[in-house]
Every structure is written in structure tokens, then in C-alpha cells.
Amino acid sequence: MNIQEFSFGNFRSFKDINTLNLSAAKIKSKDKKIDINNVINQNDNISLLKSKAIYGANASGKSNIAKALVTFIRIINSSVKDEKVLYLIDSFKLSTETENEPSFFQMIFWINGIKYRYGFEANDKSISAEWLYSTPNQRELPLFIREQQEIIEIDKTNYLEGFKLVSLFSEDSNENEIFRDNSLFLSTVASFGFGKLSKELIESISSITVISGLGHQGMYKIAGDAINDVNKKKYIIDFLKNGDIGIIDIESVEITPDNFSDNSKDEIKKVFKEDEKKKLLLSIRKKFDDKKEVIENASFPFRLYESEGTQKLFELSPFIYGSLKNNIPIIIDEFDARFHPLLTKKIIELYNNQTNISSQLVFITHDTNLLSSELLRRDQIEFVEKDKYGASHLYSLVQFKGIRNNASFEKDYIQGKYGAIPFLGDFNKLINGGINA
């Protein structure tokens, strides 16, 4: 699946509806190859971007874009089975206009050449509106429109499964166990055997991968499990080798601390409890003699000996593999954390590449080295900035008039030409008036 737009509003630091737009603008880059490598030709009228960079000052609201997407996905995936999932909705609290209003979420996406537009409005207790449109040809068709608990429009021909469920509703009942006010209609239809289209849409949306760049135990476990698959392991090892970190292999061994010598036990116990049986990942590196010749391979507990950057690269690798192999969009927050600038550039080039047919990468970063017209088009660069009322705003570089296609994006950004930079105070006062006082 491919994302064309994701819109959200009245969510955390975003008061108004903002749109992360992955449609390609009708612009030309300095290097024609960029316009070929960085763009997905969806059809004769629509082209999509393979990657998108998001910049902004600290606390500008960049991470809230990823959080909005996670909230959208989790509510779609869980609203039927989890009656409390709407607690994830967190409205903009700094205005009386929005504090009691519902949050807005909508995605425009493509599956098998058909465009869909799906969204809903909700607060942390109930869903107030929901809609699904499709564009199988030139004209957009409303498959269903919901207001509160009422389906006010439904397409019997193109969304028969939804019509079937509506026919089960009792008009005289004030409460319906099938269709709750805190449950999405799309998710409800998908829970039935006849809800094939609904299930396909939910599975596609749920496949979107959103990753925090700081890593967590779940990602490490997924990466560890991935090396049990021959194809995934080969990709992961090649991924690490190309990252120039010196690892030639990774092995998984099932152990307890008793499997190791007394000298190693203290280190192994840091990884897991003494009586616990676990799979321990070992990184394999070459060992050299005094003549600089390889004499054997040495193994080390991965979590104890590898740097945070290496661990992040390892944790990220199976998600990159799945994204590129299965055309799954991936969104990475804190993308540049613990990575060298040359490494982040190479990962972006995996997506901005002719061999990548339609996979998409959205990354949130502070790495200004990536702000280059030789790597990204103007429509691939977004900024987030907070106004004086505490509301975040998302806007694209392509919206600025008069920016040449060979301009120094990085230099202009640092100089404040595009906004979205911090307004820093006089740090010297912290020395003169603070430490030395």
C-alpha cells in the first residue's frame, strides 16, 4: 500500500488540521535522476514520493506527527476488542476552541491501484463521525458516511458488506452490542466473515510501521527472531556489513548463565535472571594475530559489547527489509539518533532508488546534512514550527516561492529562511551569571 496523505487535527500540539502530503508536486530537480528515483508513478495523474524528511526545533511537535499516526492505526486495529482504546486521543489543550472538540484523523491511500479516503472524528470517549470513500475510476464514491451512531449513507453496490451489517441493526434498540459509540464501523464490519474489503483496508493500514529511533526491547526481540529466517538473516548481516561496523555474523544460542565460564557469568547475568532460559544473541567478529592475519572468529554477547548505534542499526534492519520487500510504508522518529550522517544518507538512498518500486520512508530528523538538492526534492522536505499560541504547524519547502532547484537547502534552513529553527537565548549568561557567580 502507498500513503498519499495523512491529515490530523486537534491532537496534542496540533490545533488545526495539518496534512503530511506524500503527493509529488509538479517540479523539476537539478538532476533529472532524482525525479525518476524519488517518485512513484501511481497513474497518469498521480505521482507519490518515496521518502519525506521532517525538520523542526526541539519541542516543535515533530514527534506528535508519528504519535498521531500511531493513534490512528491503533484505534482502527483495536476499537472493536478494546473499549478503552480511545484514551489514546489527546486533544489540543491550549485553546478553549478545541479542548472539548473531537480530534480529526484521515488517510488517503492506495491499494491495488484503487484510491481510498478513510477517516474519523473522536474524543477519548466516543466516535462522532466516520467516513470511507473510494475512487476506482475518476469519480470518488462514498462507501459509507457515519454521524454519531447513525449510518447516514451507504453504497449497497460497492460496499455490500457494510450494508449487510446495517441490516442487522435493530432500529428500536438504543444500545447495540455490534455497533458501539466507541467502536469504528469499519472495524466492526471487518470483524465479520463477510467483511473482506474492510479487513483488507484495516490490514493494510495496520501494516504501516512506525518506529521510535531510540529503540526498545520489542524491536530487539523482533530483530533477534528475524535471524531465524535465512533470507532475513542474510539481509540483516549484509545491512550491518555495509554499515561498516565489523560484524561478520550473528548467532542465537539458547542458554542459562550456567552455560558460561565463571569469568563470563557476571556479564551474562546482566542480560537475564540467573534461573531464566533465554536466547542470547552473539555478534561474530574476526580475531587477528600479531601479523594482522585472521586466526579465528570471536563471539561476544550482542547487548553487552555492541554500541548503541550498532544495536539501533540491527533493530532497524528487519523493518527496512519488510518495508522494501512488501511495500510497507515506514515512519522513523529520531532517525539520525546514534547514526553517522553518511549512514542515514545511505538508508534514504535505499528508498530513493529505481530498484525500489513503491516503498515509502518518512523520517523525523535534525540532521541538516540531508538537506541537499542532490538527495531530496523540495516536496520531500517538511518543517514543523510552533506559533506563539503553542500550536504546531506542518508545511513543505515546496510552498516557498522562488527557491531554486539547486539552492543550498541546508544553509538557508540554518539561517532561518524557512523557519522551524529554535530562537536561542544568550547561553554566555549561564557562565557569567550562573556558574561563575
Side-chain angles (χ1 to χ4, degrees):
M1 69 99 72
N2 291 121
I3 301 172
Q4 182 173 328
E5 293 181 9
F6 175 61
S7 301
F8 57 99
N10 192 21
F11 180 80
R12 296 181 71 89
S13 64
F14 286 87
K15 177 187 176 185
D16 301 319
I17 295 175
N18 285 253
T19 297
L20 178 65
N21 192 345
L22 274 77
S23 299
K26 296 186 183 302
I27 59 173
K28 292 183 179 180
S29 302
K30 177 178 66 175
D31 185 348
K32 293 181 180 179
K33 289 182 180 179
I34 292 179
D35 295 331
I36 297 172
N37 294 342
N38 298 20
V39 171
I40 303 165
N41 294 314
Q42 192 67 47
N43 58 33
D44 293 338
N45 300 314
I46 297 291
S47 295
L48 305 177
L49 299 171
K50 292 181 180 178
S51 66
K52 193 85 160 179
I54 302 175
Y55 287 86
N58 291 325
S60 62
K62 300 186 302 298
S63 293
N64 287 335
I65 300 170
K67 287 177 175 137
L69 187 53
V70 168
T71 299
F72 177 71
I73 294 170
R74 285 188 62 184
I75 291 174
I76 291 171
N77 202 36
S78 305
S79 70
V80 170
K81 54 191 175 184
D82 184 358
E83 295 187 21
K84 298 181 180 179
V85 72
L86 294 183
Y87 82 91
L88 293 169
I89 293 177
D90 187 6
S91 62
F92 183 76
K93 299 294 195 301
L94 300 181
S95 172
T96 56
E97 293 179 74
T98 55
E99 59 183 349
N100 296 316
E101 293 298 314
S103 297
F104 176 95
F105 302 92
Q106 177 179 271
M107 180 177 286
I108 299 175
F109 56 101
W110 291 76
I111 300 176
N112 299 325
I114 298 177
K115 184 171 76 171
Y116 295 93
R117 177 165 66 91
Y118 173 71
F120 58 88
E121 293 183 6
N123 58 26
D124 59 354
K125 294 181 177 62
S126 64
I127 294 158
S128 54
E130 186 182 358
W131 55 92
L132 173 64
Y133 292 79
S134 75
T135 310
N137 298 304
Q138 296 296 320
R139 189 166 64 91
E140 186 180 61
L141 304 173
L143 298 189
F144 78 83
I145 301 173
R146 163 190 180 179
E147 289 184 4
Q148 301 298 339
Q149 285 302 93
E150 183 181 359
I151 303 298
I152 63 172
E153 186 172 347
I154 193 157
D155 188 330
K156 181 179 178 180
T157 302
N158 296 293
Y159 196 55
L160 179 60
E161 60 198 60
F163 180 81
K164 284 182 179 180
L165 184 59
V166 169
S167 68
L168 298 176
F169 296 161
S170 172
E171 296 181 359
D172 299 327
S173 176
N174 293 324
E175 294 185 11
N176 193 302
E177 293 181 0
I178 297 175
F179 190 26
R180 305 187 316 265
D181 63 354
N182 58 357
S183 174
L184 294 170
F185 181 66
L186 181 71
S187 305
T188 305
V189 177
S191 67
F192 288 81
F194 53 75
K196 293 183 179 179
L197 174 60
S198 302
K199 187 176 181 180
E200 180 184 15
L201 298 183
I202 289 176
E203 287 178 346
S204 295
I205 294 172
S206 299
S207 73
I208 298 170
T209 303
V210 185
I211 293 176
S212 168
L214 301 180
H216 54 77
Q217 185 65 33
M219 287 180 62
Y220 183 78
K221 184 180 184 307
I222 291 171
D225 292 341
I227 66 170
N228 295 320
D229 180 292
V230 175
N231 293 326
K232 289 181 182 179
K233 180 177 180 178
K234 183 181 184 305
Y235 187 89
I236 290 170
I237 298 303
D238 288 344
F239 200 70
L240 295 175
K241 285 179 179 178
N242 284 298
D244 191 29
I245 57 179
I247 292 177
I248 60 173
D249 200 0
I250 296 176
E251 293 181 355
S252 175
V253 293
E254 193 172 83
I255 60 164
T256 67
D258 293 335
N259 297 125
F260 282 76
S261 65
D262 291 337
N263 293 334
S264 302
K265 279 185 178 180
D266 289 340
E267 291 182 338
I268 299 303
K269 286 176 182 178
K270 295 177 185 177
V271 181
F272 55 92
K273 298 175 184 178
E274 186 170 2
D275 60 346
E276 188 177 8
K277 182 183 286 185
K278 274 196 175 182
K279 287 186 177 180
L280 184 71
L281 294 181
L282 302 175
S283 55
I284 313 299
R285 293 174 178 270
K286 295 177 182 178
K287 188 174 183 178
F288 301 86
D289 61 14
D290 57 351
K291 297 179 181 178
K292 304 297 187 294
E293 294 182 357
V294 178
I295 55 172
E296 61 182 18
N297 292 332
S299 60
F300 306 91
F302 195 95
R303 290 293 286 267
L304 297 177
Y305 282 86
E306 301 303 337
S307 70
E308 291 183 343
T310 298
Q311 291 185 42
K312 177 184 173 181
L313 190 64
F314 171 65
E315 292 172 358
L316 188 60
S317 58
F319 294 98
I320 298 291
Y321 172 86
S323 171
L324 291 170
K325 181 176 176 59
N326 302 312
N327 294 329
I328 295 172
I330 185 169
I331 292 82
I332 306 176
D333 193 6
E334 301 287 351
F335 178 57
D336 55 308
R338 306 187 183 117
F339 279 172
H340 190 279
L342 292 177
L343 180 56
T344 54
K345 181 181 177 183
K346 287 298 181 183
I347 294 174
I348 294 166
E349 288 175 347
L350 287 175
Y351 286 83
N352 293 342
N353 192 301
Q354 273 190 284
T355 58
N356 170 30
I357 304 302
S358 63
S359 299
Q360 293 174 297
L361 166 69
V362 177
F363 57 97
I364 299 168
T365 182
H366 290 287
D367 186 357
T368 58
N369 291 285
L370 304 174
L371 279 172
S372 168
S373 59
E374 296 179 358
L375 179 67
L376 298 172
R377 292 159 44 105
R378 283 175 288 146
D379 53 1
Q380 290 182 286
I381 300 170
E382 297 274 330
F383 302 106
V384 181
E385 186 173 61
K386 264 187 183 175
D387 62 27
K388 62 181 180 180
Y389 304 106
S392 298
H393 301 272
L394 177 66
Y395 55 96
S396 173
L397 177 59
V398 80
Q399 295 173 230
F400 288 81
K401 304 298 182 183
I403 305 297
R404 303 187 316 275
N405 60 10
N406 62 346
S408 175
F409 301 155
E410 179 182 18
K411 179 181 177 182
D412 290 345
Y413 172 62
I414 293 296
Q415 292 179 347
K417 187 171 182 178
Y418 311 135
I421 59 171
F423 293 96
L424 305 176
D426 186 357
F427 274 67
N428 288 328
K429 291 181 180 179
L430 298 177
I431 299 175
N432 300 329
I435 296 173
N436 295 330

